Every structure is written in C-alpha cells, then in structure tokens.
Amino acid sequence: MTFAATVLTLYPEMFPGPLGVSLAGRALREEKWALDAVQIRDFAIDKHRTVDDTPAGGGAGMVLRVDVLAAAVDHALAAHPGCPVVAMTPRGKPLTQERVRELAAGPGVIVLCGRFEGFDERIFAGRRVEEVSVGDIVLSGGECAALMLLDACIRLLPGVMGAPSSGQEESFENGLLEYPHYTRPVEWEGRTIPEVLRSGDHAKIAEWRKRRSEDDTRSRRPDLWERHVGARV
Ligand code: SAH
C-alpha cells in the first residue's frame, strides 16, 4: 500500500524538495509513498484569491482564513477519506517518534502548513485537525516542519531503510537516546575509540551501550529519563 502524503501549502514548489533525494527520493520513485502538494490559494473564493485577513482584535500580521483552509482540507479528505489531518503549529503537541510510528502505519497524512501569524483557530475543531509542533522554535512557515514530519514517517515505511534492524535501536524507540557511535580511524588527533568496542566481546559491548544510552539520557534529557523510569515502576 502506498503511503499518501498530501501537503496543503502556499508554496507547493517547496515539495518534494529534500524528500526528492536519498532514501525518501528513491522510495517516492518506487511508489512506496506518493506526494500531492496542493496550493491553498486555489481554494480562495474572491477574485483576488485572498487567503488571509487581519487578526480579529488587532495586532501585527495576517491570519489564514478558516473558510479557505476548510475548502482545501475538504478537497484533500475527499481524495483520502479518513486520512489524519495534521496542522503544523508551534502551539501544537510536540511531535514524538511514537506519533510518527502511528502515522507511518496508517494510510497517509494530510499536512496543513501555516504562514504569517498562522491559522484561524476554528479550523482545528471544525475539521478534526491535530495540531503538531516540531519544537519550541518559531519557523517562518509550516513547510520545513511538514518536511520533517514526512521524512520521519517515510523512513519507517516497509522497504525504505536498508537494514530493517537499523530502525529499532534508534534514539527514542525505547524511550532513551541511542548510545554513541565510532568508526575508523581507531585513533584521531589523539582520541581513541573506547576499548570495549574493539574487544569483540558482544555481551560486554551490549552492556556498555545500554549503560551509555541510560547515562546520556539521564544527563542530556532528564525529561525523557523521568518518563522512562516512570514507565518501568
Ligand atoms: N504566530 C504563531 C507563529 C506563526 S509562524 C505563534 O506565535 O504561535 C508561521 C507558521 O510556521 C505557523 O503557522 C506554522 O505552520 C509554522 N511553524 C512555525 N513554528 C513551528 C513549529 N515549531 N512547529 C510547527 N510549525 C511551525
């Protein structure tokens, strides 16, 4: 089954962009996923093809009109009934690997990209749109966030990644950061690869990796560590 990605955007020329190369690009050509980048402006109703208006209550910037957004979402849903609709917004729930896995296991995703000050709030309840953030940062538009979300989904699709095992040990898959990696040369500017990784003792290597994974998560991401420990008790 082909994972159907529909992106609703004012800049469809930004797609597939980076998703046209490497793993995602090959998978796109092999029809493991499909992309439809839809111009939101095509759903404007007036003769000037307006997509935005000034914020109610005043203030800087412009807001995307709910009627135009709804027409674009309805068009995408008509082609992909039941497909989850996700809006990229810093006000959304932080994206997690768990949510990415769920989306990748489904029929596809309809991604709504904001610009200017963002969306008229009524779109979220009016069309069951899930609000998703890619981090506590502010981008100029939802397109880069949509590319991130799609990239994360696509690499999980069957047959996209080389070795199926490489997805499983990754950071976040077990609630922890992954252990660090090394490769040749064994010595570089006086720094060596940890001895244990060169020992050939697989049990010891596994033990070292588990410990580093736990230690690094505890020190770098106390939030993840708390959740991990909480889930075990
Ligand atoms: N006024 C908004 C920011 C708008 S930025 C606010 O302060 O919350 C313009 C658009 O960029 C947004 O509509 C959204 O689609 C996208 N965007 C910006 N930051 C984002 C983030 N962290 N995650 C996902 N999308 C983001």
Side-chain angles (χ1 to χ4, degrees):
M1 199 187 61
T2 301
F3 181 85
T6 308
V7 183
L8 308 177
T9 169
L10 289 170
Y11 298 96
E13 64 273 25
M14 286 178 73
F15 296 86
L19 299 181
V21 300
S22 192
L23 284 184
R26 178 153 43 96
L28 182 59
R29 289 188 291 279
E30 291 173 354
E31 297 180 11
K32 292 187 172 118
W33 67 289
L35 172 69
D36 190 11
V38 177
Q39 173 57 266
I40 293 173
R41 200 173 293 283
D42 291 347
F43 299 90
I45 17 218
D46 63 325
K47 71 172 193 293
H48 300 295
R49 304 215 303 155
T50 311
V51 294
D52 55 349
D53 208 334
T54 53
M62 299 295 273
V63 177
L64 289 167
R65 286 174 59 127
V66 68
D67 48 0
V68 178
L69 291 170
V73 169
D74 290 345
H75 165 86
L77 279 172
H80 304 283
C83 193
V85 185
V86 170
M88 307 317 302
T89 162
R91 283 171 41 90
K93 194 170 168 189
L95 184 61
T96 60
Q97 188 63 13
E98 189 185 1
R99 186 66 188 123
V100 165
R101 257 192 195 284
E102 288 168 2
L103 288 171
V109 62
I110 296 166
V111 190
L112 193 50
C113 301
R115 280 275 158 178
F116 323 124
E117 288 307 314
F119 310 101
D120 182 311
E121 185 71 12
R122 293 171 290 181
I123 190 63
F124 304 122
R127 286 297 180 276
R128 291 191 61 211
V129 176
E130 174 185 345
E131 296 171 74
V132 168
S133 165
V134 296
D136 293 343
I137 54 170
V138 181
L139 303 167
S140 55
E143 289 76 12
C144 287
L147 290 167
M148 271 176 66
L149 169 69
L150 293 177
D151 182 279
C153 289
I154 292 159
R155 61 188 286 284
L156 296 179
L157 300 176
V160 171
M161 263 194 305
S165 66
S166 58
Q168 260 125 59
E169 287 203 350
E170 225 82 64
S171 291
F172 312 117
E173 290 297 353
N174 58 0
L176 298 173
L177 301 179
E178 199 188 37
Y179 49 80
H181 297 285
Y182 299 85
T183 188
R184 279 180 284 270
V186 168
E187 191 183 331
W188 172 76
E189 295 189 354
R191 296 166 195 273
T192 55
I193 294 176
E195 186 66 42
V196 56
L197 297 180
R198 292 180 280 146
S199 67
D201 183 335
H202 295 293
K204 261 199 190 154
I205 292 170
E207 176 52 35
W208 181 88
R209 286 180 166 167
K210 180 165 182 283
R211 212 189 55 240
R212 276 302 299 263
S213 176
E214 292 177 350
D215 289 352
D216 291 352
T217 305
R218 198 184 301 115
S219 61
R220 294 171 180 216
R221 292 293 304 274
D223 57 322
L224 284 185
W225 182 249
E226 284 298 309
R227 223 179 304 153
H228 179 72
V229 175
R232 281 191 311 193
V233 292

